[in-house]
Amino acid sequence: HHHRTTTTPQFCYSTAWPGSPDGLRLPELSATLAATLPAGSVAVTTDKWLVGDRFSFLDLLVVDGTEATDEPINVFLWSVQGAPHKGGQAAALEDINARWMGEDACADDPDACAALMSALGFDLEEEL
């Protein structure tokens, strides 16, 4: 038996979306995706995180950057779970701002934080 699945790739430049003051999180993109993506979707971001109940960190891939910058690109993979936010983008953004935009991004997503710190060359066990 072959299972057919339908995928709908969606692309946007995350640099076009406002980030959080810490430069790590994308609240408005997160709210838009939380209000629209079906469960089972996979979202990919570069250098910044999605936040909210619908996103679960899967993995971090480090990709070689362009010759111009020579900076590696941190590619985050997120699984999308649950139904789209019932209140649409505005209600999703309100929820994200209230519950996921605290001062400590690492407290909200320790797995993504540990992966990023490792990719940046920090050993969290040694630091503690």
Side-chain angles (χ1 to χ4, degrees), residues 26-102:
L26 294 164
E28 291 192 28
L29 176 59
S30 298
T32 299
L33 297 179
T36 57
L37 289 180
S41 298
V42 174
V44 180
T45 59
T46 55
D47 294 324
K48 295 184 182 181
W49 298 356
L50 296 178
V51 289
D53 290 325
R54 295 208 60 217
F55 306 106
S56 178
F57 172 73
L58 292 174
D59 204 357
L60 169 64
L61 307 172
V62 180
V63 178
D64 291 335
T66 63
E67 289 180 20
T69 64
D70 204 32
E71 291 285 321
I73 300 167
N74 296 304
V75 180
F76 294 92
L77 304 177
W78 309 92
S79 66
V80 182
Q81 54 216 10
H85 202 286
K86 286 188 173 105
Q89 193 270 352
L93 182 58
E94 190 175 314
D95 180 60
I96 285 168
N97 282 332
R99 298 180 43 229
W100 293 89
M101 296 304 295

